[in-house]
Amino acid sequence: DAKTTQPNSMESNEEEPVHLPCNHSTISGTDYIHWYRQLPSQGPEYVIHGLTSNVNNRMASLAIAEDRKSSTLILHRATLRDAAVYYCILRDLTQGGSEKLVFGKGTKLTVNP
Amino acid sequence: GAGVSQSPRYKVAKRGQDVALRCDPISGHVSLFWYQQALGQGPEFLTYFQNEAQLDKSGLPSDRFFAERPEGSVSTLKIQRTQQEDSAVYLCASSLLGGSAYEQYFGPGTRLTVT
């Protein structure tokens, strides 16, 4: 599985936008970029995923670099409930691609009131 | 609707004891996963089922770990002769169908402490 690199931690203020970066310089053409987050004492939850184009959903936006070697998860207005560890994960969605999620250490986001 | 549930939420075992951890996936979900999460680390894959078939058990750390899903719904992760290094949170996840296109829904985990 291709590797991703994320900062260990980031800090934000409530109601401000947050940009969480992820580097994946060895990404292959069939790798989708997925983001999950894990709130304290809970299991991870899916946030968003994309291939080449930027994506938006009710939780966040995903901006993908043109060369696909990096991406950024954008929380438009951070709330205290967004404090979590955010994981950037590559998933090969071709037939026979591995089903499992390969987590790194993620980025621990702290949101200040 | 009901999400993935796991029981017990907390388990304390003495070294050498056997433990069984239960996972109830979302109804109708074909795929089921087990992950192990050590303190301060991201979850690590243990094993994967599609219905009752165990298709990947490459992440099981030793032959003391055994998982089953006999009727294609509820799954049990069993750890025999527990060791201190088995202390971790054990997470179960399910997804609607097989294939990496489907998001995984996680349960709250079972925190196992081996003393």
Side-chain angles (χ1 to χ4, degrees):
Chain A
D1 296 296
K3 288 190 173 180
T4 63
T5 305
Q6 300 178 252
N8 290 334
S9 62
M10 290 186 66
E11 218 169 305
S12 173
N13 295 321
E14 202 175 6
E15 298 194 2
E16 290 184 355
V18 181
H19 291 232
L20 297 163
C22 181
N23 287 320
H24 27 78
S25 58
T26 59
I27 191 170
S28 75
T30 54
D31 283 330
Y32 278 67
I33 303 157
H34 284 242
W35 284 81
Y36 280 72
R37 72 178 186 180
Q38 187 171 21
L39 280 64
S41 301
Q42 294 188 27
E45 64 174 346
Y46 168 83
V47 178
I48 200 168
H49 78 277
L51 182 62
T52 56
S53 304
N54 294 345
V55 184
N56 300 296
N57 67 19
R58 64 175 179 81
M59 289 181 71
S61 295
L62 177 60
I64 301 171
E66 199 167 332
D67 63 6
R68 301 210 326 124
K69 294 186 176 181
S70 65
S71 60
T72 302
L73 180 70
I74 302 166
L75 307 178
H76 294 286
R77 289 184 65 195
T79 70
L80 296 178
R81 294 192 304 173
D82 291 322
V85 178
Y86 287 78
Y87 297 98
C88 171
I89 299 168
L90 300 182
R91 300 190 77 188
D92 183 353
L93 294 184
T94 57
Q95 192 81 14
S98 175
E99 308 283 350
K100 63 187 178 188
L101 293 172
V102 180
F103 292 85
K105 288 193 173 181
T107 297
K108 183 175 182 179
L109 176 65
T110 301
V111 181
N112 300 313
Chain B
V4 177
S5 61
Q6 294 186 244
S7 61
R9 291 293 313 277
Y10 304 91
K11 177 70 178 177
V12 178
K14 290 186 177 178
R15 190 164 62 93
Q17 280 184 334
D18 298 348
V19 298
L21 311 180
R22 177 187 169 107
C23 172
D24 284 80
I26 294 173
S27 178
H29 275 198
V30 167
S31 297
L32 185 145
F33 304 81
W34 284 98
Y35 294 85
Q36 179 190 58
Q37 186 171 25
L39 191 64
Q41 305 294 315
E44 290 195 0
F45 170 79
L46 293 176
T47 187
Y48 159 61
F49 290 85
Q50 192 168 85
N51 295 308
E52 67 277 5
Q54 190 174 20
L55 299 187
D56 186 352
K57 53 181 180 179
S58 62
L60 296 176
S62 78
D63 59 7
R64 296 186 295 105
F65 287 70
F66 173 75
E68 60 183 6
R69 194 186 185 199
E71 297 178 357
S73 55
V74 171
S75 177
T76 304
L77 177 67
K78 298 179 179 177
I79 309 173
Q80 297 177 324
R81 304 181 304 281
T82 52
Q83 304 294 316
Q84 283 196 320
E85 61 262 28
D86 300 335
S87 295
V89 175
Y90 291 85
L91 295 160
C92 176
S94 69
S95 65
L96 180 60
L97 291 172
S100 303
Y102 296 91
E103 65 185 90
Q104 294 184 17
Y105 295 83
F106 283 80
T110 295
R111 181 177 296 278
L112 173 66
T113 303
V114 181
T115 60

